């Protein structure tokens, strides 16, 4: 008999969950204007809104917090952090920032600008916003088959090399200040990128003298997929695989709120001495002195420990198995999800869940709301509330109606995951009774965070 993959940790400190009744949650949701972003976290039982900054730190990390060196210049904790990042990622310059988007902001500010084009497999929304803020264009280059939610591909985050070559030809290499790849590809469902693809992106960009930057948020999860899916990597450690992944790149932006096991933190890493010097000059203006940037010494100490823990094989095997377990159970019950599941989240297909609710009645928002009312579970809508666009005064729906259930790292147990699956199964059994929503108030930008909605009769 195959033994269960268990949580590779025991629990030393716990946080009590607050249970509410279904009637209470109905009222809480009404007061939150049918937008779970406006619900207080205390009123949520299982919070799957994001895997970012929500990790549980280990006892070793908490120990690191106590010995963090808060010196303004040349802190011992920075040196430890810098050494760890250099060991794992291999880049010469390590520039600490308070989170991932601060690294993006510095890089895009230095290299972006009107007329420039920045390719990626899929830009995460902060990356896209930072590119576009400079006047540059952010272009997503996934192969067409990777856009089909039902299509099972081992490396569905791979960037389309032919599209990359065409883009460079069309706009000219001098207008591509750098190229990116996001591992794993969050916007595309947490899908991994293969080593072969990373190598091919690097060769293509380098042939034109274009620097290659990796958005490395979930690099350890990506390394695990390479180890378990790509021929030739089964006997390598995740750290060796990570080393190889980054050896093909010229730099990385990283949110340490994901695979750094941090509640805050990030970095920009670069090999180019001149660019690094310019980045540090901006860092001092916006984040802080180069040996702490946007972080406290204790954060850097805890992150230096967390980065190694994220590369632990037992941890990664459990992490990916948890996501897979939830996904398989839902598939078994006929609940449509983006397939195969990625590394940090399960994405539900709300169009399939609620075929009777048209996109402009926001089926994915309905599902997020129903999930909250039925079980106190909070997910996030990635559909027409988030990405709907107004064209000539007429609202255009998004291309997909998804709900992301992102699993915080080391926070919830198998029983929590089973509970989430059960709530979804109940909702699926009663799906016919769900009704659509309409937006009654919305801000001009990023409306999903604060939009107010109400149920249609
Ligand atoms: N890149 C990717 C791929 C991300 O997923 C995120 C954040 C960032 C960059 C920005 O990092 O938040 O530290 O500034 N993703 C979070 C999420 C917010 O919920 O997926 P940050």
């Amino acid at each position: 008999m195959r033994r269960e993959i268990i949580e590779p940790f025991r629990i030393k400190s716990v946080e009590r969950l607050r249970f509410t009744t279904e009637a209470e949650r109905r009222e809480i949701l009404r007061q939150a204007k049918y937008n779970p972003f406006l619900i207080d976290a205390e009123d949520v039982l299982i919070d799957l809104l994001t895997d970012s900054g929500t990790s549980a730190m280990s006892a070793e990390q908490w120990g690191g917090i106590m010995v963090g060196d808060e010196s303004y210049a040349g802190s011992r904790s920075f040196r430890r952090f810098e050494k760890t990042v250099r060991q794992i990622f291999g880049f010469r310059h390590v520039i600490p920032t308070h989170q991932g988007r601060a690294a993006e902001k510095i890089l895009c500010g230095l290299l972006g600008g009107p007329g420039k084009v920045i390719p990626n497999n899929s830009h995460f929304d902060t990356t896209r916003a930072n590119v576009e803020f400079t006047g540059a264009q952010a272009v997503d280059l996934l192969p067409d088959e990777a856009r089909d939610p039902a299509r099972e591909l081992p490396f569905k985050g791979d960037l389309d090399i032919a599209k990359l070559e065409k883009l460079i030809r069309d706009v000219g290499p001098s207008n591509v200040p750098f190229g990116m790849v996001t591992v794993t590809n969050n916007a595309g469902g947490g899908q991994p990128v293969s080593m072969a693809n990373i190598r091919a992106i690097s060769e293509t960009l380098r042939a034109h003298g274009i620097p290659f930057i990796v958005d490395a948020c979930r690099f350890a999860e990506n390394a695990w997929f390479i180890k378990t899916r790509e021929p030739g990597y089964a006997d390598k450690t995740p750290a060796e695989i990570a080393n190889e992944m980054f050896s093909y790149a010229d730099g990385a932006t990283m949110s340490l709120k994901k695979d750094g096991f941090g509640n805050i933190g990030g970095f920009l890493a670069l090999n180019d001495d001149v660019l690094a010097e310019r980045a540090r000059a901006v860092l001092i203006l916006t984040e802080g002195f180069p040996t702490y940037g946007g972080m406290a010494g204790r954060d850097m100490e805890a992150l230096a420990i967390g980065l190694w823990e994220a590369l632990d094989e037992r941890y990664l095997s459990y992490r990916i198995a948890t996501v897979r377990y939830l996904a398989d159970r839902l598939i078994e019950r006929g609940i449509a999800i983006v397939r195969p599941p990625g590394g940090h989240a399960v994405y539900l297909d709300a169009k399939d869940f609620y075929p009777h609710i048209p996109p402009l009645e926001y089926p994915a928002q309905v599902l997020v709301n129903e999930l909250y009312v039925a079980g106190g579970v909070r997910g996030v809508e990635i559909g027409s509330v988030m990405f709907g666009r107004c064209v000539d005064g007429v609202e255009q729906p998004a291309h997909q109606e998804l709900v992301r259930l992102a699993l915080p790292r080391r926070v919830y147990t198998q029983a929590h995951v089973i509970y989430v699956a059960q709530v979804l199964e109940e909702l699926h059994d009663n799906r016919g009774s769900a009704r659509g929503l309409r937006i009654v108030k919305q801000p001009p930008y990023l409306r999903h965070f604060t939009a107010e909605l109400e149920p249609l009769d």
Side-chain angles (χ1 to χ4, degrees):
M1 200 178 72
R2 192 181 70 82
R3 292 206 181 147
E4 197 64 37
I5 296 173
I6 60 171
E7 284 84 357
F9 48 82
R10 55 183 179 175
I11 297 165
K12 190 173 207 142
S13 175
V14 298
E15 201 176 348
R16 201 157 69 96
L17 292 175
R18 201 173 84 80
F19 285 77
T20 48
T21 64
E22 189 165 324
E24 285 169 338
R25 291 192 294 273
R26 219 173 269 291
E27 180 54 24
I28 290 164
L29 186 64
R30 195 185 65 77
Q31 284 186 17
K33 314 291 183 191
Y34 299 92
N35 183 351
F37 273 111
L38 305 177
I39 295 176
D40 281 345
E42 272 227 303
D43 295 329
V44 176
L45 185 65
I46 297 185
D47 206 345
L48 307 184
L49 190 71
T50 180
D51 64 321
S52 179
T54 51
S55 303
M57 291 209 293
S58 64
E60 286 77 8
Q61 285 184 287
W62 282 109
I65 292 274
M66 291 308 294
V67 298
D69 174 8
E70 305 304 338
S71 302
Y72 192 95
S75 141
R76 184 186 62 239
S77 298
F78 174 70
R79 292 297 171 219
R80 182 174 184 188
F81 174 74
E82 182 186 46
K83 183 171 164 211
T84 302
V85 175
R86 280 194 185 138
Q87 279 173 337
I88 296 172
F89 297 83
F91 299 116
R92 235 187 339 268
H93 300 281
V94 181
I95 299 166
T97 60
H98 77 280
Q99 59 185 84
R101 68 197 70 181
E104 294 163 6
K105 168 89 181 151
I106 293 172
L107 183 71
C108 294
L110 291 173
L111 299 181
K116 305 285 187 222
V117 180
I118 291 146
N120 203 330
N121 46 355
S122 306
H123 289 268
F124 179 67
D125 48 13
T126 59
T127 324
R128 172 176 296 280
N130 273 309
V131 167
E132 290 175 351
F133 185 74
T134 70
Q137 201 191 338
V139 180
D140 292 347
L141 297 179
L142 278 185
D144 297 339
E145 68 265 23
R147 293 181 189 276
D148 173 358
R151 182 78 186 270
E152 293 265 356
L153 297 167
F155 291 102
K156 216 174 173 177
D158 279 0
L159 182 147
D160 190 323
I161 301 296
K163 285 186 185 173
L164 178 62
E165 279 167 350
K166 180 169 184 313
L167 177 102
I168 297 170
R169 255 198 325 273
D170 289 351
V171 305
S174 62
N175 289 317
V176 185
F178 61 97
M180 292 188 87
V181 72
T182 305
V183 297
T184 58
N185 188 23
N186 185 14
Q191 301 292 340
V193 180
S194 65
M195 192 73 86
N197 192 248
I198 293 173
R199 213 179 293 124
I201 298 168
S202 173
E203 281 164 11
T204 308
L205 293 173
R206 283 182 178 173
H208 296 282
I210 301 168
F212 176 27
I213 306 291
V214 180
D215 178 338
C217 297
R218 298 175 180 85
F219 77 101
E221 290 166 8
N222 200 85
W224 185 254
F225 283 114
I226 289 176
K227 181 177 168 73
T228 52
R229 292 186 184 168
E230 192 162 348
Y233 289 93
D235 297 331
K236 296 210 153 68
T237 65
E240 286 166 344
I241 295 171
N243 249 260
E244 185 182 336
M245 281 162 57
F246 296 107
S247 72
Y248 302 118
D250 301 293
T253 56
M254 169 91 186
S255 166
L256 291 160
K257 300 171 75 174
K258 285 82 168 174
D259 278 349
F261 277 123
N263 302 123
I264 197 73
F267 65 73
L268 169 63
L270 295 167
N271 278 338
D272 182 324
D273 298 339
V274 175
L275 187 60
E277 199 173 316
R278 291 172 63 207
R280 287 198 182 100
V282 181
L283 187 83
I284 295 185
L285 289 180
T286 58
E287 294 279 298
F289 188 76
T291 60
Y292 70 85
M295 288 185 281
R298 54 179 166 271
D299 296 329
M300 295 187 285
E301 195 75 35
L303 289 163
I305 299 165
L307 277 166
W308 288 117
E309 291 178 355
L311 287 164
D312 177 69
E313 294 206 10
R314 287 235 181 251
Y315 159 72
L316 284 169
S317 139
Y318 135 82
R319 167 85 177 148
I320 304 302
T322 306
V323 175
R324 180 97 235 177
Y325 173 87
L326 178 59
D328 285 349
R329 191 166 161 156
L330 298 178
I331 292 168
E332 240 168 66
R333 288 292 293 253
I335 298 175
I337 61 163
V338 174
R339 295 168 78 161
H344 67 294
V346 169
Y347 291 67
L348 307 165
D349 184 346
K351 264 190 202 169
D352 189 273
F353 204 99
Y354 293 133
H356 61 290
I357 302 180
L360 290 180
E361 292 181 13
Y362 313 117
Q365 187 77 20
V366 174
L367 184 50
V368 165
N369 288 351
E370 294 286 325
L371 197 53
Y372 176 70
V373 171
V377 178
R378 176 157 68 173
V380 67
E381 193 255 18
I382 305 184
S384 294
V385 177
M386 190 179 272
F387 290 123
R389 291 275 173 277
C390 248
V391 180
D392 299 330
V394 182
E395 195 180 345
Q396 305 293 318
H399 145 83
Q400 290 186 330
E401 300 296 330
L402 304 177
V403 171
R404 184 181 80 169
L405 303 177
L407 291 158
R409 292 170 183 76
R410 300 192 295 211
V411 170
Y412 295 113
T413 65
Q414 179 77 352
H416 291 115
V417 173
I418 293 172
Y419 171 89
V420 172
Q422 287 170 339
V423 175
L424 274 165
E425 286 159 13
E426 277 166 39
L427 285 178
H428 196 244
D429 290 344
N430 302 314
R431 60 193 181 280
S433 60
R435 292 288 165 270
L437 293 157
R438 91 168 136 242
I439 293 180
V440 291
K441 201 173 151 199
Q442 56 180 302
Y445 303 106
L446 296 172
R447 68 177 184 179
H448 55 287
F449 290 125
T450 54
E452 298 182 4
L453 297 98
E454 70 183 15
L456 294 163
D457 292 333

